[in-house]
Amino acid sequence: MSENNKIYELKFDKVFTRKYRNLGRSFQIQGDKKIKRLKKNPQDQGKQLRFFHNLYELRLQMYRIFYLIHEQKVNILFIGLEHKDETDKYLRSLTKDKINSMINENL
């Protein structure tokens, strides 16, 4: 139960931030609500992806938000925002080195 008392700090990769700001205002309002809910329970809000143990997907209508949970530092790093039709292409482009690079730049 003590894990549920954690409050995760939200971190945003610069590429994610740029794409998120280009979304329409209604998407941003809905996204902000979903992202804030992740602070208390990030594993239950999104869908864990099988490629990397700490990579999750959050649905935002026709978009997908990708985030990494870093348990040791109690952080969530938002790394991607893609249209649902581009999701497979985005996930195929991810490598452990690329993810580690994003973590090192942002956490």
Side-chain angles (χ1 to χ4, degrees):
M1 285 305 267
S2 64
E3 296 241 345
N4 292 342
N5 295 331
K6 289 183 187 178
I7 300 294
Y8 289 79
E9 184 178 351
L10 305 177
K11 305 273 185 166
F12 301 90
D13 182 71
K14 62 184 176 250
V15 175
F16 172 85
T17 301
R18 187 173 59 242
K19 287 184 174 186
Y20 192 75
R21 286 183 181 153
N22 287 332
L23 288 178
R25 186 72 188 129
S26 63
F27 284 114
Q28 288 181 16
I29 291 169
Q30 184 184 11
D32 289 350
K33 288 178 185 175
K34 289 185 173 210
I35 287 171
K36 284 178 185 171
R37 277 190 237 132
L38 292 175
K39 288 174 115 176
K40 289 189 178 180
N41 205 348
Q43 294 88 352
D44 289 347
Q45 301 295 320
K47 173 184 163 190
Q48 185 174 14
L49 300 177
R50 64 178 177 250
F51 311 109
F52 301 100
H53 74 281
N54 60 342
L55 179 63
Y56 289 78
E57 173 186 85
L58 185 65
R59 290 178 176 220
L60 180 60
Q61 291 185 28
M62 69 201 50
Y63 294 96
R64 303 297 180 259
I65 295 173
F66 297 97
Y67 62 97
L68 297 164
I69 299 173
H70 196 273
E71 288 294 342
Q72 292 84 1
K73 294 187 178 184
V74 195
N75 285 323
I76 300 169
L77 175 61
F78 294 87
I79 61 168
L81 173 68
E82 299 295 329
H83 189 276
K84 66 180 181 179
D85 295 341
E86 298 294 318
T87 297
D88 288 340
K89 180 180 170 187
Y90 175 76
L91 291 173
R92 280 194 300 273
S93 76
L94 289 179
T95 63
K96 284 189 178 188
D97 289 339
K98 188 172 181 178
I99 287 176
N100 287 333
S101 173
M102 284 189 266
I103 289 171
N104 290 333
E105 285 176 22
N106 293 287
L107 295 183

